[in-house]
Amino acid sequence: MKKELDLIKDCGQKILAISDTMEILNGKWKMSIIACLCYKPMRYSELLKEVKGISGKVLSRELKDLEINELIEREVLTTAPVAVEYRITDYGTSLKQLTDTIADWGFIHRQRIISGMKTG
């Protein structure tokens, strides 16, 4: 009985941790932005081009949220005209393995669906 209660407690803690993670990474765009910035720092306009389908207003909001959660940082460059560059933080790089895993799964799933459509 004790072991069963421990399993339930472990499950509850895992669900809470997943919920916390999903709260921070919620939405359609945050993981894509993080994935881009894991490869290289990018300016706002570069992110807008790279993350297909995102609007400027939504990109601004998502970048602010990611910055608040210390996953990315914003640097104002001393160029003429002034430009802003976003980069992943050391803490944010802890999500690279997750973005790679999600991308790998998505690729396999897309191939599976496409294959099923051809034979089905």
Side-chain angles (χ1 to χ4, degrees):
M1 184 71 172
K2 171 107 171 88
K3 248 186 175 184
E4 192 173 313
L5 290 175
D6 287 342
L7 288 174
I8 291 169
K9 181 180 174 189
D10 290 346
C11 180
Q13 289 174 342
K14 185 170 268 189
I15 289 170
L16 180 59
I18 290 169
S19 179
D20 290 346
T21 303
M22 296 305 292
E23 181 67 29
I24 293 165
L25 300 177
N26 69 342
K28 185 176 179 180
W29 308 108
K30 285 188 179 104
M31 291 301 289
S32 296
I33 294 166
I34 290 167
C36 286
L37 294 176
C38 279
Y39 288 97
K40 67 176 188 170
M42 299 177 93
R43 293 181 179 190
Y44 178 87
S45 59
E46 292 175 299
L47 283 166
L48 200 54
K49 288 177 189 170
E50 193 67 34
V51 182
K52 306 281 188 263
I54 193 169
S55 72
K57 181 179 177 180
V58 172
L59 177 58
S60 292
R61 185 182 68 225
E62 299 291 58
L63 289 168
K64 285 177 189 169
D65 285 350
L66 291 169
E67 191 176 2
I68 287 168
N69 284 291
E70 301 177 357
L71 299 173
I72 66 166
E73 58 190 12
R74 178 181 186 269
E75 180 184 358
V76 179
L77 304 173
T78 55
T79 56
V82 173
V84 175
E85 188 173 74
Y86 295 90
R87 68 184 68 239
I88 198 84
T89 61
D90 288 341
Y91 180 56
T93 59
S94 66
L95 293 169
K96 184 165 185 348
Q97 184 179 353
L98 179 61
T99 63
D100 290 345
T101 300
I102 290 170
D104 291 346
W105 185 89
F107 179 77
I108 291 167
H109 181 69
R110 181 180 295 265
Q111 295 305 310
R112 179 184 171 112
I113 295 301
I114 289 169
S115 297
M117 288 178 179
K118 289 178 185 173
T119 61

